[in-house]
Amino acid sequence: MSSEQLKDGKVVFRCSTCNYWNSYSVKTVKAPDLKRADAFLKTRLHFPEIIGFFLFHTATGVLTNNMPDMLNNSDLEVLGNLLIKTVSIGRSQYPDVKEISLILSSKNITVKMINKDLAVIIVGKTFPLSKPLRDQLDRIGSIDTAQNGHLK
């Protein structure tokens, strides 16, 4: 998709059969959110307690995958959708919820929402995650509910 085809959050194209102009709304990942998340992910080697992680967007799915090979992209799509829905359910009652942690078989799964559609999902060996890692997660950004889920 070229930048000329994307206008105001819509893909615009001409039908090759009838020449009619069509447009469809699409969700896109905001570049600042993605850059901030990528910057965090590049620091992952400094945290030995991380087993794996992935960056997940509700509209586009898995954006970055650094999970063990036993989980393929289809598995991560299902897991990402389920975890983001879980956060959304919590936010429906408690709007300040920005992350959740689950403990399964002595593994810690932390879901940190970067904005309302983008999350970093980390599987760690310890609970809670180390303070330096927690500090890094806090620097990624937080949901600003007054601004409809955009980074502060």
Side-chain angles (χ1 to χ4, degrees):
M1 176 184 334
S2 70
S3 60
E4 295 84 35
Q5 290 176 296
L6 184 62
K7 297 181 194 259
D8 299 324
K10 293 183 179 187
V11 175
V12 179
F13 62 94
R14 185 182 295 270
C15 176
S16 62
T17 304
C18 68
N19 283 333
Y20 181 79
W21 280 100
N22 295 284
S23 68
Y24 291 95
S25 296
V26 294
K27 289 185 178 181
T28 58
V29 180
K30 293 178 173 49
D33 297 347
L34 194 52
K35 284 181 186 177
R36 198 177 290 239
D38 281 340
F40 165 76
L41 296 176
K42 288 177 183 173
T43 67
R44 72 190 181 275
L45 297 176
H46 300 286
F47 303 105
E49 75 264 28
I50 295 178
I51 295 169
F53 62 88
F54 63 103
L55 186 61
F56 188 83
H57 190 272
T58 57
T60 55
V62 176
L63 299 175
T64 301
N65 178 0
N66 188 24
M67 291 294 284
D69 290 335
M70 71 176 93
L71 295 170
N72 61 35
N73 268 6
S74 298
D75 296 332
L76 296 179
E77 293 284 338
V78 171
L79 184 59
N81 276 312
L82 178 65
L83 291 171
I84 285 186
K85 283 180 185 174
T86 302
V87 173
S88 296
I89 290 168
R91 290 195 75 232
S92 69
Q93 295 297 313
Y94 304 99
D96 292 339
V97 170
K98 297 175 184 86
E99 78 180 65
I100 61 169
S101 291
L102 306 168
I103 310 300
L104 298 171
S105 299
S106 73
K107 305 294 184 279
N108 172 17
I109 301 173
T110 299
V111 181
K112 171 71 174 186
M113 299 303 298
I114 297 169
N115 69 26
K116 65 183 179 121
D117 295 313
L118 183 63
V120 174
I121 300 168
I122 299 171
V123 178
K125 299 175 189 174
T126 61
F127 180 82
L129 296 174
S130 68
K131 178 153 176 32
L133 180 52
R134 303 264 342 126
D135 291 345
Q136 280 287 348
L137 280 171
D138 290 341
R139 280 191 281 265
I140 289 176
S142 60
I143 295 174
D144 181 1
T145 54
Q147 294 183 5
N148 298 319
H150 298 321
L151 287 172
K152 288 182 177 180

